[in-house]
């Protein structure tokens, strides 16, 4: 089966072969009107899309039209695991006869006949869940878990389990199906997760876990259906440490012989987690940025720590050989690919503004896309080889959905050699994109640094943790008290726009004068004019060259010679400051250079005053 992907854009919907030519599938015609959604069957055999007044089903291999269903206003679409049944969901409406609108329908793909219909108000978790053999289908209605036999839809509910407060249900894969039911925390009662054997719902749960701080849950089974990860989350963090609420991760066994909370050693939210296809290990991305990524085995023992990096996404390739760690959303879009066999980094991919990322079924390519309405500019998709090479680019005015055509993992070759496969020849669009996007080498300006801090190492408090900075310490909503900033000479620096405290005569309160950078009041001899009666303050532009010192009362007991020596010493101190700036490579003004040129004359005059008249 050849690689293939589909996309849904503003004016067209397409099937494209990814076997090297990246050409449209022969025989597939553009419907001519915007499509609302599309879906592949899980085995990749069928493909269907939705138009305003019809649903069309195709054989995916050659885009041959198989069936048309005359159903209007469909918004969601889903195949059963073997592609026998097709479910559709419409937005519920109020019928004139007062009856409930059966907006969830199930059709036979082979005949097009409507087999059963339900009333489903919520679009979230709208579809039925089927066992892998399609022998049973499960649906949550209120607090009741209803079980159906798809081969006997006309018999209705064949089994039922009532669980008060149930908010979600998840059916496991595998040949021995189980269901996980989550009951949210309510009115002081703790939340809980229960696991039941699907074929014996009347029996007590095989595993049960109770905990607090859980308003909702995300449930992920491993491929074999033997263990399940449950991510719990609250809407509000009562400790006021996180905007995103509190999160917790739990591992439960379907047979009840093991359950454990996944202990994480860094504070902050859990950004993402994923099972490896081998069902024996999983990865978690957690903590305040830069987040940590850790691999655990099925007994929650640490296998490897990838240290801290700006990541919030984790994904194993279908064979479990490669691992993608990325930072999307408000992060830069860097994708780091690691070899799970050696735990070494393979490459780093720069994919900014990515809103969808997906491995190809054979694990050799990675598809990234910028989708609307998440972003309405630079929409399109890119295909990367697992070694980091960009092999295809496809720009679209507005792109809403894209995905690979599924292929059963047993039908795709795994990585048998120690080395990864070589990248294929990129398409013409990829070559053109790389030539256009090739950056012009320029010297990075870097972050702005005030004059007094230039040429010095960045303090650890301002560095990220993965760059050697101090680890983040949550403040619990309490702001850090301001600290005074001083120059290397120990004098207090003047911050433009901040109130400047000035010394006042003894017995009177201190006064504050707002610094205006000389724009409102003008500058005179390197000083900013202030209100009448206040002491002049050095200009912020010259704060480092001539450090501001607190004004002190003039000592009238000094003779003129001592006063002269004191003034000349201040000038030499300012010149030493300028020399330090020049040694750090900073650019000096012409007036500052002229001041440095007069050093010899100042020292000569100072020596003459120190010796005294001959």
């Amino acid at each position: 089966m050849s690689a293939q992907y589909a996309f849904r854009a503003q004016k067209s919907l397409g099937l494209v072969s990814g076997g090297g030519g990246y050409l449209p599938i022969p025989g597939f015609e553009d419907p001519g009107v915007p499509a609302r959604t599309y879906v592949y069957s899980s085995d990749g055999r069928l493909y269907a899309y939705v138009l305003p007044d019809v649903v069309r089903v195709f054989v995916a291999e050659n885009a041959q039209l198989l069936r048309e269903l005359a159903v209007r206003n469909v918004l969601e679409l889903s195949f059963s695991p073997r592609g026998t049944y097709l479910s559709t969901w419409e937005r519920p409406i109020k019928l004139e006869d007062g009856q409930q609108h059966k907006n969830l329908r199930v059709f036979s793909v082979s005949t097009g006949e409507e087999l059963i219909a339900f009333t489903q108000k919520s679009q979230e978790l709208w579809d039925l869940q089927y066992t892998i053999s399609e022998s049973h289908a499960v649906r949550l209605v209120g607090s009741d878990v209803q079980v159906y036999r798809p081969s006997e839809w006309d018999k209705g509910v064949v089994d039922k389990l009532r669980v008060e407060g149930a908010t979600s249900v998840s059916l496991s894969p595998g040949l021995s199906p189980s269901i996980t039911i989550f009951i949210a925390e309510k009115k002081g009662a703790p939340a809980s997760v229960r696991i039941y054997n699907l074929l014996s719902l009347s029996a007590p749960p095989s595993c049960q876990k109770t905990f607090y701080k859980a308003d909702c849950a995300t449930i992920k089974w491993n491929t074999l259906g033997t263990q399940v990860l449950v991510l719990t989350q609250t809407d509000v963090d009562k400790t006021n440490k996180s905007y995103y609420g509190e999160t917790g991760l739990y591992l439960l066994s379907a047979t009840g012989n093991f359950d454990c909370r996944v202990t994480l050693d860094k504070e902050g939210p859990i950004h993402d987690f994923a099972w490896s296809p081998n069902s024996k290990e999983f990865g978690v991305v957690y903590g305040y940025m830069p987040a940590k990524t850790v691999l655990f085995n099925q007994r929650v023992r640490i296998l490897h720590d990838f240290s801290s990096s700006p990541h919030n996404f984790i994904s194993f390739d279908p064979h479990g050989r490669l691992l993608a760690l990325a930072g999307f959303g408000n992060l830069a879009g860097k994708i780091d690919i690691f070899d799970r066999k050696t735990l070494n980094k393979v490459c780093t991919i720069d994919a900014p503004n990515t809103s969808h990322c997906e491995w190809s079924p054979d694990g050799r390519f990675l598809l990234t896309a910028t989708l609307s309405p998440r972003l309405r500019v630079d929409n399109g998709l890119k295909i990367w080889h697992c070694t980091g090479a960009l092999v295809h680019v496809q720009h679209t005015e507005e792109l809403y959905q894209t995905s690979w055509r599924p292929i059963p993992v047993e039908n795709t070759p795994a990585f048998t050699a120690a080395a990864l496969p070589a990248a294929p020849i990129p398409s013409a669009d990829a070559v053109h994109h790389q030539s256009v996007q090739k950056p012009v080498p320029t010297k990075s300006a870097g972050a702005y640094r005030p004059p007094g801090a230039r040429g010095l190492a960045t303090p650890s408090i301002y560095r990220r943790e993965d760059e050697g900075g101090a680890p983040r310490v949550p403040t619990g909503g309490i702001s850090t008290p301001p600290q005074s900033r001083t120059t290397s000479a120990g004098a207090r620096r003047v911050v433009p726009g901040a109130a400047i405290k000035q010394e006042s005569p003894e017995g009177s309160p201190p006064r504050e004068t707002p610094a205006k950078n000389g724009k409102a009041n003008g500058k005179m001899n390197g000083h900013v004019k202030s209100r009448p009666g206040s002491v002049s303050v050095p200009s912020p532009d010259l704060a480092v060259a001539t450090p501001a010192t607190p004004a002190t009362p003039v000592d009238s007991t000094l003779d003129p010679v001592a006063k002269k020596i004191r003034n000349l010493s201040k000038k030499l101190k300012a010149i030493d400051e300028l020399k330090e700036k020049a040694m750090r490579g900073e650019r000096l003004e012409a007036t500052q250079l002229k001041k440095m040129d007069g050093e010899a004359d100042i020292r000569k005059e100072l020596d003459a005053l120190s010796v005294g008249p001959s």
Side-chain angles (χ1 to χ4, degrees), residues 3-4 317-319 359-365 404-409 412:
Q4 176 180 320
D317 87 282
H319 292 284
W359 283 103
S360 64
D362 59 3
R364 285 162 169 76
F365 298 92
W404 293 99
R405 173 190 174 191
I407 299 176
V409 67
T412 60

Side-chain angles (χ1 to χ4, degrees), residues 448-600:
Y448 170 78
R449 305 195 69 184
R454 292 173 186 166
L456 302 177
T458 304
S460 63
I461 192 174
Y462 296 118
R463 288 201 297 258
R464 287 194 332 207
E465 186 176 344
D466 56 330
E467 295 176 347
R472 181 188 186 278
V473 178
T475 61
I478 303 174
S479 60
T480 304
Q483 300 177 357
S484 60
R485 309 264 316 263
T486 59
T487 61
S488 57
R492 186 176 182 84
R493 295 186 56 198
V494 179
V495 181
I500 303 170
K501 293 185 178 181
Q502 303 171 359
E503 298 291 340
S504 300
E506 189 173 1
S508 61
R511 305 182 60 182
E512 293 185 357
T513 301
K516 296 293 185 179
N517 285 340
K519 295 181 180 179
N521 297 327
K523 294 183 180 179
M524 295 181 62
N525 298 326
H527 289 71
V528 179
K529 292 192 294 184
S530 57
R531 296 191 298 269
S534 63
V535 182
S536 62
V537 182
S539 167
D541 298 335
L542 302 178
V544 175
T546 57
T549 56
T552 57
V554 178
D555 190 352
S556 60
T557 61
L558 292 177
D559 60 359
V561 176
K563 291 180 181 179
K564 186 69 173 177
I565 292 175
R566 183 186 63 182
N567 292 336
L568 292 175
S569 299
K570 288 182 178 180
K571 291 182 180 180
L572 289 176
K573 185 177 180 180
I575 290 174
D576 291 338
E577 292 281 346
L578 294 176
K579 284 182 178 180
E580 291 182 8
K581 292 180 64 176
M583 291 177 64
R584 295 197 296 262
E586 296 186 29
R587 184 172 174 270
L588 301 179
E589 302 292 338
T591 54
Q592 295 172 323
L593 295 173
K594 186 177 180 181
K595 183 181 293 187
M596 292 175 61
D597 293 340
E599 180 183 6

Side-chain angles (χ1 to χ4, degrees), residues 231-246:
L231 172 67
T232 62
Q233 186 170 6
T234 60
D235 296 330
V236 178
D237 183 359
K238 295 181 180 179
T239 63
N240 204 25
K241 292 181 180 180
S242 174
Y243 173 79
Y244 300 99
E246 296 182 75

Side-chain angles (χ1 to χ4, degrees), residues 69-355:
L69 305 177
V71 188
R72 299 176 58 85
N73 302 320
V74 171
L75 297 181
E76 297 286 354
L77 202 62
S78 178
F79 282 103
S80 60
R82 294 186 175 181
T84 308
Y85 308 103
L86 179 67
S87 302
T88 65
W89 184 86
E90 312 155 35
R91 184 170 286 112
I93 59 176
K94 189 173 182 179
L95 300 179
E96 296 180 358
D97 56 6
Q99 296 184 358
Q100 289 185 325
H101 179 209
K102 296 186 179 299
N103 58 322
L104 169 56
R105 307 183 188 184
V106 180
F107 295 87
S108 169
V109 173
S110 59
T111 64
E113 178 187 0
E114 181 177 327
L115 302 174
I116 195 170
F118 307 94
T119 298
Q120 174 66 31
K121 295 182 178 180
S122 175
Q123 188 173 1
E124 184 180 6
L125 304 175
W126 65 273
D127 194 18
L128 292 93
Q129 300 180 55
Y130 295 84
T131 59
I132 193 171
S133 62
E134 296 184 352
S135 61
H136 294 79
V138 174
R139 179 170 177 257
L140 180 64
V141 182
S143 296
D144 293 336
V145 178
Q146 299 178 349
V147 182
Y148 299 84
R149 293 187 185 274
S151 59
E152 301 172 334
W153 286 114
D154 54 336
K155 291 186 177 181
V157 178
V158 296
D159 200 358
K160 183 168 63 173
L161 174 66
R162 184 169 185 83
V163 180
E164 291 295 337
T167 56
S168 64
V169 60
S170 177
L171 179 63
S172 73
L175 299 177
S176 180
S178 300
I179 59 171
T180 300
I181 301 175
F182 174 72
I183 302 99
E185 183 179 358
K186 186 177 182 181
K187 295 183 179 179
S192 65
V193 171
R194 303 177 190 175
I195 299 180
Y196 293 85
N197 188 309
L198 180 62
L199 303 182
S200 56
L201 291 180
S202 58
S206 59
C207 184
Q208 182 171 347
K209 186 76 173 177
T210 303
F211 38 76
Y212 287 93
K213 299 180 181 179
D215 297 330
C216 58
T218 301
I219 300 172
K220 293 185 180 180
W221 285 94
N222 62 3
T223 307
L224 297 177
T226 56
Q227 288 184 312
V228 62
L229 285 169
V230 180
L231 172 67
T232 62
Q233 186 170 6
T234 60
D235 296 330
V236 178
D237 183 359
K238 295 181 180 179
T239 63
N240 204 25
K241 292 181 180 180
S242 174
Y243 173 79
Y244 300 99
E246 296 182 75
T247 54
L249 187 63
Y250 301 85
L251 176 65
L252 293 85
S253 172
T255 58
N257 58 1
F258 182 79
D259 65 82
C260 176
R261 175 164 185 166
V262 181
T263 304
L264 306 175
D265 59 356
K266 184 173 184 178
E267 283 194 299
I270 297 173
H271 304 284
D272 197 11
F273 65 104
W275 280 103
S276 170
N278 62 18
S279 295
K280 297 179 180 179
E281 61 189 41
F282 60 94
V284 186
V285 184
Y286 63 94
Y288 295 109
M289 288 296 164
K292 286 189 69 174
T293 303
V294 175
L295 285 182
F296 297 88
N297 67 6
Q298 56 190 345
R299 291 290 171 176
V300 198
R301 296 188 180 96
I302 295 178
L303 298 176
H304 184 69
D305 186 344
F306 289 94
S307 71
S308 297
S309 292
H311 294 148
N312 58 9
F313 171 87
I314 181 172
S315 178
F316 290 87
D317 87 282
H319 292 284
R321 173 66 185 273
L322 298 175
L323 175 66
L325 301 178
F328 298 137
N330 58 349
L331 299 178
K334 299 283 186 181
I335 306 174
D336 295 326
I337 297 180
F338 291 86
D339 188 339
R340 176 61 190 89
K341 189 174 183 179
T342 63
L343 295 173
N344 295 326
K345 184 187 290 189
V346 177
C347 64
T348 297
I349 295 173
D350 189 6
N353 300 327
T354 295
S355 50

Side-chain angles (χ1 to χ4, degrees), residues 15-45:
L15 293 172
V16 178
S17 171
Y22 301 99
L23 299 174
I25 299 296
F28 183 79
E29 297 182 1
D30 183 346
V33 294
R36 291 179 172 174
T37 187
Y38 75 83
V39 67
Y40 279 106
S41 62
S42 57
D43 57 5
R45 183 173 56 90

